Amino acid sequence: MTKFTTLLRKDYYLNRKNLMMPVWITAGYYLLTAIALLIAYFKAPESIHVGFNDFGSFPDENIRYVASYLANLSLMIMPGILSLIFTIIITQGALNDDIHRNSELFHRSQPVSIWQRTLAKFTVGVGGNWVVLSGIALFNFILFGIILLAFDLFSFGTALAGILQSSLGFMKFGLIIGSICFFFSAVFKDKGFLQGVAILVGIQFLFMILNALLGWKIPLPLTFLYKLLYSDAIIKVEDSISKAEIIAQIRHNWMSLLVSWKTFFQILFSGGLFALSTWIYSLKEVK
């Protein structure tokens, strides 16, 4: 077992509860939904029973393609948001956890590169949530694929594109937000996310006032972050959209998510913040 693998195992062990929280919350949500549907089915009037049982098939192939894509695209919204929340929770204190546990001096004295230590923490905080999100995506794809298939609304290709594109979109958000919070953990000793956001908001208002009073054009930090996170990969899909149009939109979304200068800059930005965070962390005095 390599030193880096050992570090990964250690950081995973310390954060496994937070990593698994999106799974338990999503499972609880589905369980409550299933219970509510069962109660509605058995307690509802006969007219509602007809609504449960008399769904007809949809011969229109366009509807099948659109429904498969949009349904799977939207399935990952709640798990994706949960993944972002727990990415923030883990990464905002990643570089201070050992200090709080009074084990920083012990880890610093080990023959392990500080870059390996920070990379292990970053990998667990960001990549660990990616793994969990991928597992939820697989479960959603299978479960709701069966449901859509029962209503003759399932198209494998567009359904797979929808679940993958939604998951990858949230993974990109997680990479950027995770790297920002990781940087905050290097700068601040505690509650890095809240302190970092508070400072960014203060700088935002200061720059807005200076720009308004002096006519300057200082870039605003929150505006920059919004543009960095914003994606045009998902747009509104009208009911009248054709099969060819939805396929073209899916191709456009793949290009926007994976093959674009913005994606390259997002990765470069996150890598730069990771390197800067490691450098700042290496300068911290160990007590």
Side-chain angles (χ1 to χ4, degrees), residues 67-140:
S68 290
Y69 182 65
L70 293 185
N72 282 275
L73 203 66
S74 60
L75 280 176
M76 297 307 297
I77 292 177
M78 186 186 75
I81 293 174
L82 290 173
S83 176
L84 294 179
I85 291 172
F86 285 97
T87 296
I88 292 172
I89 290 174
I90 294 174
T91 56
Q92 71 166 344
L95 297 180
N96 294 306
D97 286 344
D98 292 334
I99 297 175
H100 294 156
R101 295 187 177 92
N102 296 319
S103 59
E104 179 69 18
L105 183 60
F106 169 78
H107 290 297
R108 287 284 186 106
S109 64
Q110 300 302 306
V112 180
S113 167
I114 197 167
W115 288 90
Q116 285 185 312
R117 289 186 59 206
T118 56
L119 181 59
K121 294 176 182 295
F122 187 82
T123 301
V124 170
V126 176
N129 278 287
W130 285 4
V131 173
V132 172
L133 190 64
S134 299
I136 296 175
L138 179 60
F139 175 80
N140 283 349

Side-chain angles (χ1 to χ4, degrees), residues 6 16 35 91 95 102 109 140 151 153 198 214 242 267 279:
T6 303
R16 67 186 187 281
I35 293 173
T91 56
L95 297 180
N102 296 319
S109 64
N140 283 349
F151 296 143
L153 287 172
L214 303 176
S242 66
I267 296 173
W279 178 70

Side-chain angles (χ1 to χ4, degrees), residues 244-256:
E245 289 172 329
I246 194 68
I247 291 176
Q249 182 59 46
I250 290 173
R251 290 174 179 171
H252 166 77
N253 290 351
W254 279 128
M255 295 296 293
S256 178

Side-chain angles (χ1 to χ4, degrees), residues 13 17 22 38 71 78 85 129 137 157 185 201 213 239 257 277:
Y13 177 80
K17 291 183 179 179
L38 286 174
M78 186 186 75
I85 291 172
N129 278 287
S185 75
V201 171
L213 294 178
D239 295 336
L257 282 168
S277 303

Side-chain angles (χ1 to χ4, degrees), residues 12-279:
Y12 164 74
Y13 177 80
L14 295 174
N15 294 286
R16 67 186 187 281
K17 291 183 179 179
N18 284 328
L19 286 173
M20 293 304 295
M21 283 303 294
V23 175
W24 305 134
I25 294 174
T26 303
Y29 173 79
Y30 287 161
L31 179 61
L32 292 175
T33 302
I35 293 173
L37 289 175
L38 286 174
I39 293 173
Y41 181 81
F42 288 109
K43 298 263 184 182
E46 188 65 29
S47 59
I48 297 183
H49 279 225
V50 174
F52 275 103
N53 296 317
D54 288 351
F55 282 100
S57 61
F58 292 84
D60 189 345
E61 192 175 17
N62 293 333
I63 297 177
R64 185 180 297 111
Y65 271 74
V66 173
S68 290
Y69 182 65
L70 293 185
N72 282 275
L73 203 66
S74 60
L75 280 176
M76 297 307 297
I77 292 177
M78 186 186 75
I81 293 174
L82 290 173
S83 176
L84 294 179
I85 291 172
F86 285 97
T87 296
I88 292 172
I89 290 174
I90 294 174
T91 56
Q92 71 166 344
L95 297 180
N96 294 306
D97 286 344
D98 292 334
I99 297 175
H100 294 156
R101 295 187 177 92
N102 296 319
S103 59
E104 179 69 18
L105 183 60
F106 169 78
H107 290 297
R108 287 284 186 106
S109 64
Q110 300 302 306
V112 180
S113 167
I114 197 167
W115 288 90
Q116 285 185 312
R117 289 186 59 206
T118 56
L119 181 59
K121 294 176 182 295
F122 187 82
T123 301
V124 170
V126 176
N129 278 287
W130 285 4
V131 173
V132 172
L133 190 64
S134 299
I136 296 175
L138 179 60
F139 175 80
N140 283 349
F141 181 74
I142 295 173
L143 176 63
F144 287 90
I146 295 172
I147 295 173
L148 289 173
L149 189 62
F151 296 143
D152 195 25
L153 287 172
F154 183 72
S155 169
F156 180 82
T158 52
L160 184 62
I163 204 84
L164 287 178
Q165 289 181 356
S166 184
S167 300
L168 286 172
F170 279 109
M171 288 179 182
K172 285 177 65 177
F173 291 162
L175 177 64
I176 298 168
I177 293 175
S179 62
I180 293 172
C181 291
F182 197 75
F183 172 74
F184 290 157
S185 75
V187 176
F188 305 106
K189 292 183 178 180
D190 196 21
K191 298 179 180 178
F193 178 73
L194 293 177
Q195 293 190 65
V197 170
I199 290 177
L200 286 178
V201 171
I203 294 174
Q204 177 87 1
F205 280 108
L206 175 62
F207 285 0
M208 289 174 64
I209 293 172
L210 291 175
N211 288 344
L213 294 178
L214 303 176
W216 294 350
K217 295 182 180 180
I218 305 175
L220 304 178
L222 294 182
T223 304
F224 167 78
L225 290 178
Y226 171 77
K227 292 180 178 179
L228 187 67
L229 291 168
Y230 175 77
S231 174
D232 63 349
I234 301 172
I235 66 171
K236 294 180 180 179
V237 179
E238 300 177 355
D239 295 336
S240 59
I241 192 170
S242 66
K243 173 184 173 182
E245 289 172 329
I246 194 68
I247 291 176
Q249 182 59 46
I250 290 173
R251 290 174 179 171
H252 166 77
N253 290 351
W254 279 128
M255 295 296 293
S256 178
L257 282 168
L258 299 178
V259 190
S260 67
W261 282 109
K262 186 171 185 178
T263 298
F264 173 76
F265 181 75
Q266 289 170 333
I267 296 173
L268 190 65
F269 174 81
S270 298
L273 275 185
F274 168 76
L276 183 59
S277 303
T278 302
W279 178 70

